Amino acid sequence: MHAHFFDHVYHPHSHDAYSFGITEAGAQRFSCRGGAHTSGAGMVMAFNPDDPHDGRAAADLGYKYRIVHIGPDVVREVLADMAGGRAVMPLFPEPALSDPVLRGALLRLHTALVGDAEPLVRDERLTAAVTAMVARCTARPPRARVPGRERPARLAARQARALLEEAYAEKVTAEALAEAAGCSRFALYRAFRAEYGMSPSDWQRLVRLRRARGLLAAGTPAADTAVTVGFTDQSHFHRWFVRCFGVTPGLYQRAGRS
């Protein structure tokens, strides 16, 4: 996406991909990982998969930026190819960066993706962008999860998340969620926010929006998509899609066809 926003405010959300916003003009203020950050012209916003964040203008002229989303499977495939075998997935320790090399690599990738660049050029620029990512990231292996040894609060949050992802289109009650998690409603709410940075209801809505993107990309009309993923009506779906992704469902669908 390439956009210039003045008044748009992003509701707290996350992406199931590595997401990079390159600020070209103005400044954007956002919250992420418990802190407040600002990305000015020439800076990069780097979000790991499932990093909750929001966003709004931090200057009178708003902010103009490009954003690129790179799926974890794509990053894993490129890193494995570079390493000649299995590679550890990178993580960004800071969400706002001043890094001309990374910014340049991402801008060249974005230009290739939105333009009519040849597939070979796109692949080469993707590899260059992932290489720049690794140079700026910390590579940390995922923590081993031993059944029965997780902290009760974290386990409760993950059990609730599993239910929300399975029944994302249904009207899940707080009682049902607490029962699945094996704790009180208050304890679950607190544990869920601590683990995922948002409330269970925000997470369920986000899962619905993610599923909706897949349906839109497959050509499903927006009205049918809204009902299928659990929104009350198309206007409700439209409003939240814009608040979290910055574009309308129709524009997203048309962009996928181009």
Side-chain angles (χ1 to χ4, degrees), residues 178-253:
E179 182 179 353
C183 62
S184 70
R185 290 182 294 175
F186 177 77
L188 172 61
Y189 182 84
R190 184 172 54 188
F192 202 95
R193 287 198 65 92
E195 185 73 6
Y196 300 115
M198 61 183 70
S199 68
S201 61
D202 279 340
W203 179 261
Q204 185 183 36
R205 186 191 308 113
L206 184 60
V207 175
R208 289 174 175 174
L209 291 170
R210 290 179 177 179
R211 299 294 190 276
R213 288 186 311 188
L215 292 174
L216 292 171
T220 306
D224 295 339
T225 295
V227 174
T228 300
V229 300
F231 284 93
T232 54
D233 53 46
Q234 186 176 354
S235 63
H236 186 216
F237 167 56
H238 181 282
R239 183 167 62 252
W240 278 108
F241 199 93
V242 172
R243 289 185 68 182
C244 289
F245 300 139
V247 296
T248 66
L251 182 58
Y252 179 87
Q253 189 169 56

Side-chain angles (χ1 to χ4, degrees), residues 20 38-40 42-46 92-99 102-103 136:
F20 302 97
T38 301
S39 176
M43 296 182 67
V44 174
M45 294 173 286
F92 282 91
E94 296 295 332
L97 310 172
S98 294
D99 189 321
L102 178 61
R103 182 182 71 245
R136 197 59 167 84

Side-chain angles (χ1 to χ4, degrees), residues 29 34-35 43 49 54 60 64 77 85 99 107 116-117 145 147 172 178 184 209 211:
R29 183 172 64 251
M43 296 182 67
D54 54 17
D60 291 339
K64 184 178 181 180
E77 181 180 344
D99 189 321
L107 283 173
D116 57 354
R145 297 176 183 173
V172 180
S184 70
L209 291 170
R211 299 294 190 276

Side-chain angles (χ1 to χ4, degrees), residues 26-221:
Q28 181 177 2
R29 183 172 64 251
F30 63 97
S31 299
C32 183
R33 304 177 212 162
H37 309 273
T38 301
S39 176
M43 296 182 67
V44 174
M45 294 173 286
F47 303 113
N48 299 309
D50 289 330
D51 261 350
H53 58 280
D54 54 17
R56 65 182 66 213
D60 291 339
L61 70 162
Y63 60 98
K64 184 178 181 180
Y65 81 125
R66 300 169 185 260
I67 190 163
V68 179
H69 306 286
I70 308 177
D73 289 343
V74 176
V75 174
R76 186 178 293 107
E77 181 180 344
V78 173
L79 291 179
D81 184 61
M82 292 166 57
R86 188 175 180 180
V88 176
M89 296 293 284
L91 291 175
F92 282 91
E94 296 295 332
L97 310 172
S98 294
D99 189 321
V101 174
L102 178 61
R103 182 182 71 245
L106 291 168
L107 283 173
R108 287 188 289 275
L109 173 61
H110 187 280
T111 301
L113 293 175
V114 300
D116 57 354
E118 294 287 335
L120 182 59
V121 174
R122 295 186 177 194
D123 288 341
E124 290 171 350
R125 294 188 181 182
L126 173 62
T127 299
V130 173
T131 301
M133 283 173 55
V134 173
R136 197 59 167 84
C137 293
T138 57
R140 299 188 311 201
R143 291 173 295 183
R145 297 176 183 173
V146 180
R149 294 186 181 179
E150 293 184 290
R151 290 185 303 171
R154 174 170 292 169
L155 182 59
R158 288 177 178 161
Q159 289 172 330
R161 172 176 168 167
L163 175 59
L164 290 173
E165 291 185 339
E166 179 182 355
Y168 66 89
E170 301 176 13
K171 295 184 182 298
V172 180
T173 66
E175 289 82 1
L177 208 57
E179 182 179 353
C183 62
S184 70
R185 290 182 294 175
F186 177 77
L188 172 61
Y189 182 84
R190 184 172 54 188
F192 202 95
R193 287 198 65 92
E195 185 73 6
Y196 300 115
M198 61 183 70
S199 68
S201 61
D202 279 340
W203 179 261
Q204 185 183 36
R205 186 191 308 113
L206 184 60
V207 175
R208 289 174 175 174
L209 291 170
R210 290 179 177 179
R211 299 294 190 276
R213 288 186 311 188
L215 292 174
L216 292 171
T220 306

